[in-house]
Amino acid sequence: MVEAHRELGWNVSFIWIMYALLGATAVVFGLGIRRRYRQWQIGRPVDRTSAPGARLMAMLKEILLQRGVGRERLPALFHGLIFYAFAVMFLTTLLVMLDMDLGTSLFRGTLYLVFSLAADIAGLLALVGIGIALYRRTIARPATLPTRAADHLVLALLAGILLSGFLVEGLRIRVAGDPWAAWSPVGSAFSLLFSGLGADAGRALHAFVWWTHCVMALGFIALIPYTKLLHMVLIPANVALQKTEAWGSLARPDVAALMAAEDIDEAALQIGIATAADFTWRERLGFDGCVECGRCDDVCPSRQARQPLSPRALISELKAFVRSEAGRGNGNGAGAPRQVVGGAIDGDLIWYCRTCGACQEVCPARVEHLDTVVDLRRHQTMMGGSVPVDAARMLKMLGQLGNPFGPQGERMAWIEKMGIPVIGEGESIDVLLWIGCCTTFDPTKQQIAQDLCRLLQATGIRFGVLGADERCCGDPARLLGDESLFQEVARSQIELLNRRRFQVLLTACPHCFNVLAHEYPQFGGNYRVVHHTEYLHEMLWSDHLRPVGLPAQKAVYHDPCYLGRFQKIYDSPREVLRAIPGVNVAEMKNARSRSLCCGGGGGHFWMDLKAGERINNLRVDQAQAQGADTIVTSCAYCKQMLEDSVKLRDLDERIRVVDIATLTLESLRLPQDSFARRQ
């Protein structure tokens, strides 16, 4: 019995031309990558060498599982069809090359039949994937997805490679015959197109189509560094080189050290991003990896509220700016470098960002939007003094009073009234409660802290507070770019915290949580920080708290950005709510990692930029759409923003906004004076 095989290189003459073209392709590809590399290389240094094994595994998972594009059904479908199909066809081509160039005999027998069938089916599925992609770009046309002629040309080139490959296969089967043609069903179907074609004409046409297929395939490879096809290389690279620290841990210069230096260099005092030269090499790599897919715009709260900011357009404009500056001279531009803000983007644009992380969560290219936006703000605030008026007023109050809300005396009034223990220097306690400014100074939000204190007392845990020594953690200054003020506040608070001994630093504020857990370690403040949703979850499941129940109500939980996306804490608060009898928990349209910002993030709690719609209104509309009568939060800022919207929507008689601590306390039905017993 004859072993299944085919004649490799059938009807192909002057095969050396293909190798010459392959060499030229490699040169063109290499030159393109070299040009890109030089533009990345001139960026500011940033260390991405930690945990090399984990980085490699992340990259391999991205390549093999296509995780980045798998979050949306239609893009995941066509990307998967195209990627896995070309992977199968690449392996088939590799087997042919090994047999032809190295004299192996792999592409024979069962392996030949399996790969012949697999390659045929893969090519057909790839065409289906291209058709879906074309449908999405020309018929469905999502508003956030820009479509350019180059995008259609890429799809046309891919389709041309596949169709010409099937034509070559069909002509070979028709002219040379193939006893195993059944294992190439698509090629066999294409062979029917050439019924009645003579042998000589068939050979001539086969040779022409084969070379056309070869040139298109090599041209595709050569074009990769010069088109958006580069994302095939850069997305895995960006995954491998993404920051391994928490999102909320921002890289920063030591402002105090810069100011204390004897020979102060004016260039060294340039804090934040001013010109193209200030972008790191990783930021440049991320810009080039962006394919402008529009996923970021789909989830951006500012974009949904029809405000000026588009994260897709922002990254696209920064990419174009960096490239144009590199083209002007030595990579930093010839002559006086142009400013990023005012040159590449509008001066007001960066202030519309809520730093909510939604764009970064869905970005398949792992562009690190948050670090870039905050660094742009740092230069505007510290070097240019350009910050929105309301925000500037808040920063001034923070610098003068130690918090952005009011005199410190107000902090102590209700603490003393409730008899909460104040932990002095040198004293120790099991749990040190970090109250937070937003919770402290507004009577409607003081209830969060007071109710949390009652819950702590109910569990019998020894706890206390810093009292007058607790000031703002510095997060508002951090988000608005006043790095000098943030570092001053952080060092001051760390010094006071380190004079106490405690096992747990408990807070009800996600912003405080992020700063205490992920920013303070940079200044020597290393603590076990716990958010009150995690504490409540632990106390309920350890039977320290026993909910009795509440009147029947339909509740939706609003994931605060700095608790959900930043800390990945999604389950604990939901399990707490489900443990309370009478509470029916539903999910809003945007939940968990896709949660919609309340609108107060990124410093917007203190500034009201007049453009588009109010984001908090959009969020309350989602709660109303679920028929909820209760919106549960775990952030004082979110509570305020959502309460404002409920009032604006005239829904305050129908929808209640409540913190999870308050709802939990109500479910216990403790006596109102239960905290009267002093610890």
Side-chain angles (χ1 to χ4, degrees), residues 68 71 290 293 295-296 358-367 369:
R71 297 186 177 102
C290 173
C293 62
R295 288 175 177 80
C296 52
C359 54
Q360 198 161 301
E361 177 74 26
V362 301
C363 179
R366 302 304 195 277
V367 176
H369 307 73

Side-chain angles (χ1 to χ4, degrees), residues 172-192:
R172 181 189 66 81
I173 293 172
R174 172 57 58 188
V175 177
D178 188 346
W180 297 282
W183 293 86
S184 301
V186 184
S188 297
F190 270 76
S191 72
L192 300 177

Side-chain angles (χ1 to χ4, degrees), residues 301-302 305-309 348 352 354 604 608-615:
S302 296
R306 298 190 300 278
Q307 295 176 1
L309 178 64
D348 294 332
Y352 283 95
R354 266 63 181 186
H604 280 260
D608 188 13
L609 303 182
K610 306 294 184 182
E613 194 172 345
R614 291 181 177 271
I615 295 170

Side-chain angles (χ1 to χ4, degrees), residues 323-524:
R323 289 182 179 179
S324 67
E325 287 293 280
R328 293 174 62 207
N330 59 6
N332 298 329
R338 292 182 294 165
Q339 297 286 304
V340 178
V341 177
I345 58 175
D346 182 77
D348 294 332
L349 201 64
I350 56 174
W351 301 111
Y352 283 95
C353 177
R354 266 63 181 186
T355 67
C356 68
C359 54
Q360 198 161 301
E361 177 74 26
V362 301
C363 179
R366 302 304 195 277
V367 176
E368 295 171 358
H369 307 73
L370 300 172
D371 299 65
T372 299
V373 168
V374 172
D375 237 3
L376 287 167
R377 287 183 172 188
R378 282 173 179 164
H379 185 268
Q380 291 300 104
T381 299
M382 295 193 64
M383 310 308 298
S386 178
V387 62
V389 175
D390 293 340
R393 189 180 300 116
M394 179 275 294
L395 291 173
K396 183 177 180 180
M397 183 179 292
L398 173 57
Q400 292 177 344
L401 301 178
N403 68 79
F405 290 97
Q408 280 291 102
E410 295 182 21
R411 184 188 292 272
M412 288 302 300
W414 66 269
I415 291 176
E416 292 173 352
K417 184 178 180 180
M418 287 192 67
I420 301 172
V422 175
I423 309 304
E425 294 184 12
E427 296 181 352
S428 63
I429 197 72
D430 293 335
V431 174
L432 184 62
L433 176 61
W434 182 277
I435 299 174
C437 300
C438 187
T439 307
T440 296
F441 293 97
D442 185 334
T444 63
K445 290 185 284 297
Q446 284 175 12
Q447 184 182 1
I448 298 173
Q450 293 167 2
D451 290 346
L452 183 54
C453 288
R454 291 187 175 96
L455 289 167
L456 285 164
Q457 189 270 344
T459 63
I461 290 176
R462 292 178 59 249
F463 77 99
V465 297
L466 286 177
D469 279 351
E470 181 189 321
R471 296 174 180 265
C472 179
C473 67
D475 182 67
R478 164 188 173 273
L479 288 176
L480 291 167
D482 195 337
E483 190 62 30
S484 178
L485 179 57
F486 168 69
Q487 293 188 24
E488 178 186 342
V489 168
R491 286 190 170 95
S492 172
Q493 289 298 94
I494 288 168
E495 183 179 354
L496 292 168
L497 284 168
N498 288 346
R499 292 175 183 170
R500 279 86 172 167
R501 294 187 301 276
F502 50 89
Q503 296 179 26
V504 171
L505 186 57
L506 178 66
T507 180
C509 176
H511 292 266
C512 294
F513 179 99
N514 181 72
V515 168
L516 296 169
H518 303 305
E519 297 280 37
Y520 276 22
Q522 298 182 35
F523 305 96

Side-chain angles (χ1 to χ4, degrees), residues 4 13 27 34 39 68 141-142 147 158 291 294 341 368 370 376 387 389 419 429 486 517 541 625 638:
S13 303
V27 170
R34 182 188 179 194
Q39 292 182 9
R141 299 184 67 179
T147 299
L158 287 172
V291 292
V341 177
E368 295 171 358
L370 300 172
L376 287 167
V387 62
V389 175
I429 197 72
F486 168 69
W541 260 251
C638 293

